[in-house]
Amino acid sequence: MIETFWNICLLHNISTRDQLLREAVRVVQTNRALELQGAAHTSILEPEMLFQWMKQYAGEREFGHFPGDRDLFFRMYQVGKDMDLLDYAIQTIQQDRITGGIIVHTSIVDRFKDMCERYHYRTLLIAEAEKYLRGLAETQLYKHSFTITLITENYIIAKLLKTYFESYPNVHIIQGSIYQPLPLAEKYDAILTIPNFGLKMDEVEDTTIRDSEGVAVNHLLPLLQDTGRISVTLPARMLFQSGRNAQWREQTNESSPVQSVYMLPDGLFRPYTSVKTYQIEFGRSPSQQVIIGRVQLQKMSLEPEREISIHAEAFAQLENWRIDMLLDKDQDTLRSFQQAPVPKVKLRDVADIFRGKSVLKQDLRAGNIKVLNISNIEDGEVKPDQLETIDEEERKIKRYEILPGDLVMACRGTVNKLAIFPETQGTVIASANIIVIRFKASIISGFAKIFLESPVGTTLIQNFQRGTTVMNLNPSDVGEIELPLLPHDEQSNRVNRYNEEKERFKQKILEASDRWEQVKNEIYSELY
């Protein structure tokens, strides 16, 4: 039924998400009006009569001009009058490749329902409800003993929800934006939201933060009851970025203390996003303990894989909310580093950090500028003889140039790669898959490389990744990584030891390879 309705619409240039939703609601509302008048199933229902009914009961005031004639509407009506609007909306939004709206996994709504039942919450607010349509349909949350308010910014989706939930007096629909102050008098026991990721809001009253995620939370928190909780899905960067984000974390935790932080499974929101995500609960009343954990998907529900508690005062002292390190069972080495009395310094305080230039495949040609990519880094070393080139004026690429002694780091891909850039002929720039770290006098680049490729350094890098399976590092995030600040001569001694042993190792490998080839050839010659 749904595909047939889509096909009819598409043949008549009704193709965008909102157009498809609008015409479905127009058809269903017309059918309901006919049923109320007892005329829906009469055999004398003709295209002209139906067209007039539509204009009267689902006409231009609510939905705008119908983009067709009476015959088109008659065909659409015959196919779509009995369709399930919620299922239709889910499939239509899911197929939309232009707007790119996210459909949240049912397990998030199911977990929210469990929280509400556990704390005996009754009044619920679900923000940007179109993201949770699948969860609403599959959990049938609206059939439980909750009073539910659904917010959506989209007029057509608001009309669709009002039409679908018309027979449920416990469900209320509000059209509004969570990125603007919400002038709602009512307060709620529980709020569920997954704000849009990574947008900068231009017009916000609170100048503490402009990120869409923080702005949305700031507007929703005042709607909580004193004993209520808000469950928010946030991307990884909101948990560890410094500056305004750090200030927002601190202020939010003071006014609405964090109750729990859970790391969500990789890929839960694909194909909409592949970044690491976390589910955080804020409450209006303070808690003695903050629960942190990692959940995994078992069938269709999120089950704890690991949980620990941390005292609220200790949690408040954390510089960031990167719970990954706290949860990992094999973090003794990392904790030893964090607790060690050795001075530590952030990369951003001792180095200039920048990402390379975006170089397209069609830009690669014989030229005077060499380009370093991930594939040119092998076994911790740069292979300069394998570099491809572009033809570009040097002045245009000067800010991407790599100098001898720079530490280069892969920021995309599936493997963490680090290398010290060697002396080389000509100008070399980094591609966009490479982050360049140029140290000041206090840190030797070779010492930084050894630390960052160590188990502790690798863990630190992994915890600053924004991606899940595919690595995605941002230069500003890399700048937050801490290094041990040893005296210069101690750094130099460790680098020299490392390099000497590496050369000895490579020599032994070369000797073993030569011997192996020699023995193989001797045996082969003895076969006949």
Side-chain angles (χ1 to χ4, degrees):
M1 179 189 296
I2 290 176
E3 288 189 6
T4 304
F5 190 86
W6 281 340
N7 290 337
I8 294 172
C9 290
L10 294 173
L11 285 172
H12 293 83
N13 294 320
I14 302 169
S15 57
T16 68
R17 183 196 70 176
D18 284 1
Q19 288 173 337
L20 292 168
L21 295 176
R22 179 189 64 195
E23 298 314 323
V25 179
R26 196 195 306 258
V27 163
V28 172
Q29 281 204 356
T30 301
N31 187 52
R32 288 191 181 176
L34 287 167
E35 287 179 338
L36 287 173
Q37 298 296 323
H41 303 293
T42 177
S43 58
I44 61 170
L45 198 59
E46 297 294 335
E48 179 60 33
M49 180 189 298
L50 185 65
F51 200 62
Q52 295 307 320
W53 270 94
M54 178 270 289
K55 285 189 170 183
Q56 183 176 354
Y57 293 103
E60 296 181 359
R61 177 179 293 182
E62 286 187 291
F63 299 104
H65 177 69
F66 178 71
D69 57 18
R70 59 183 61 82
D71 291 327
L72 173 59
F73 185 75
F74 186 78
R75 289 170 58 207
M76 291 169 64
Y77 177 82
Q78 296 300 322
V79 173
K81 59 186 175 65
D82 296 320
M83 75 166 61
D84 182 313
L85 269 184
L86 200 58
D87 185 36
Y88 176 83
I90 293 167
Q91 294 196 45
T92 302
I93 294 172
Q94 189 171 293
Q95 294 297 322
D96 176 35
R97 292 291 178 266
I98 297 174
T99 310
I102 186 172
I103 296 289
V104 175
H105 196 275
T106 298
S107 58
I108 297 290
V109 178
D110 199 46
R111 189 173 177 83
F112 179 68
K113 177 177 73 71
D114 290 345
M115 181 195 78
C116 294
E117 290 175 342
R118 184 167 62 253
Y119 294 106
H120 307 290
Y121 292 152
R122 286 293 170 260
T123 56
L124 319 183
L125 175 68
I126 299 180
E128 297 186 314
E130 60 270 26
K131 297 176 179 178
Y132 297 100
L133 294 185
R134 182 178 298 284
L136 284 170
E138 294 182 356
T139 64
Q140 298 200 319
L141 191 66
Y142 49 91
K143 292 185 179 179
H144 292 69
S145 56
F146 300 121
T147 299
I148 303 172
T149 299
L150 305 176
I151 292 182
T152 179
E153 190 173 355
N154 185 286
Y155 172 79
I156 296 300
I157 291 175
K159 293 299 297 182
L160 183 145
L161 293 173
K162 285 180 180 178
T163 301
Y164 183 83
F165 290 111
E166 191 174 33
S167 59
Y168 293 92
N170 62 317
V171 180
H172 311 288
I173 314 300
I174 295 175
Q175 187 186 354
S177 170
I178 62 175
Y179 308 103
Q180 301 291 335
L182 291 159
L184 301 179
E186 187 176 353
K187 292 186 182 293
Y188 303 88
D189 292 328
I191 299 175
L192 180 63
T193 182
I194 174 171
N196 293 329
F197 291 172
L199 300 180
K200 294 292 184 183
M201 313 308 294
D202 293 327
E203 298 178 7
V204 290
E205 294 180 359
D206 184 359
T207 57
T208 303
I209 193 165
R210 291 177 52 228
D211 296 73
S212 49
E213 302 93 335
V215 170
V217 171
N218 288 353
H219 290 150
L220 290 169
L221 280 173
L223 303 179
L224 268 185
Q225 296 276 13
D226 290 341
T227 57
R229 292 189 177 206
I230 178 172
S231 182
V232 188
T233 307
L234 292 177
R237 63 179 179 78
M238 292 297 294
L239 277 67
F240 63 69
Q241 274 190 336
S242 58
R244 288 187 175 184
N245 280 353
Q247 186 180 355
W248 174 81
R249 287 193 300 271
E250 182 180 358
Q251 292 179 354
T252 305
N253 190 49
E254 287 177 358
S255 62
S256 303
V258 173
Q259 310 293 311
S260 67
V261 183
Y262 282 90
M263 183 178 177
L264 296 173
D266 291 354
L268 190 66
F269 297 103
R270 288 198 188 109
Y272 310 102
T273 180
S274 293
V275 301
K276 283 185 180 179
T277 50
Y278 298 77
Q279 198 71 22
I280 304 179
E281 290 179 10
F282 299 92
R284 286 311 236 170
S285 53
S287 175
Q288 292 296 314
Q289 299 289 326
V290 178
I291 307 300
I292 63 175
R294 184 188 297 118
V295 291
Q296 58 185 347
L297 194 61
Q298 293 184 355
K299 295 183 179 178
M300 292 301 288
S301 64
L302 292 172
E303 301 295 338
E305 178 185 348
R306 176 164 165 76
E307 286 182 333
I308 61 174
S309 62
I310 178 172
H311 196 277
E313 291 183 6
F315 184 84
Q317 297 302 313
L318 296 176
E319 187 176 338
N320 54 61
W321 298 346
R322 288 185 295 124
I323 65 168
D324 314 43
M325 292 188 291
L326 299 173
L327 288 172
D328 200 320
K329 295 177 182 177
D330 301 318
Q331 292 299 311
D332 291 341
T333 305
L334 181 59
R335 277 189 283 273
S336 296
F337 166 68
Q338 293 172 327
Q339 296 168 7
V342 63
K344 301 174 186 68
V345 64
K346 290 188 176 181
L347 272 174
R348 60 179 166 84
D349 295 328
V350 293
D352 296 321
I353 308 170
F354 61 92
R355 190 197 291 272
K357 176 181 172 57
S358 176
V359 178
L360 303 177
K361 210 166 189 177
Q362 56 263 35
D363 297 332
L364 297 173
R365 60 175 67 90
N368 57 327
I369 306 298
K370 300 175 183 178
V371 180
L372 177 70
N373 214 326
I374 296 174
S375 59
N376 307 127
I377 302 174
E378 295 178 11
D379 299 324
E381 297 181 1
V382 172
K383 305 298 180 183
D385 56 329
Q386 300 174 3
L387 302 181
E388 296 184 279
T389 61
I390 59 172
D391 186 17
E392 186 61 88
E393 296 179 42
E394 286 200 26
R395 62 180 180 84
K396 292 184 179 180
I397 49 80
K398 201 67 179 173
R399 64 192 179 110
Y400 304 111
E401 184 179 5
I402 315 174
L403 302 179
D406 287 346
L407 177 60
V408 291
M409 170 190 288
C411 59
R412 302 263 176 84
T414 57
V415 179
N416 183 35
K417 290 186 174 184
L418 293 154
I420 304 300
F421 193 72
E423 293 281 352
T424 186
Q425 295 291 324
T427 301
V428 182
I429 64 169
S431 75
N433 296 322
I434 299 289
I435 288 175
V436 180
I437 305 172
R438 184 167 298 154
F439 287 95
K440 301 168 186 176
S442 56
I443 293 288
I444 299 173
S445 56
F447 175 75
K449 173 183 176 290
I450 294 170
F451 175 76
L452 291 174
E453 69 185 13
S454 73
V456 171
T458 301
T459 301
L460 289 170
I461 292 172
Q462 287 172 347
N463 282 283
F464 278 102
Q465 285 183 196
R466 299 187 181 197
T468 53
T469 305
V470 178
M471 181 170 58
N472 183 7
L473 288 168
N474 186 284
S476 62
D477 299 341
V478 170
E480 296 297 314
I481 297 175
E482 288 186 323
L483 302 176
L485 184 58
L486 299 182
H488 207 270
D489 57 342
E490 289 189 31
Q491 293 183 47
S492 183
N493 287 340
R494 284 163 173 75
V495 172
N496 290 338
R497 259 183 71 201
Y498 180 93
N499 289 338
E500 287 170 5
E501 287 301 319
K502 185 175 181 180
E503 285 303 316
R504 188 174 288 114
F505 170 77
K506 288 164 65 176
Q507 184 61 36
K508 292 292 184 183
I509 292 293
L510 184 61
E511 291 173 2
S513 296
D514 289 343
R515 178 173 174 78
W516 172 234
E517 285 298 320
Q518 180 182 345
V519 171
K520 277 197 303 182
N521 291 331
E522 287 176 0
I523 294 173
Y524 294 157
S525 65
E526 297 169 358
L527 292 177
Y528 51 89

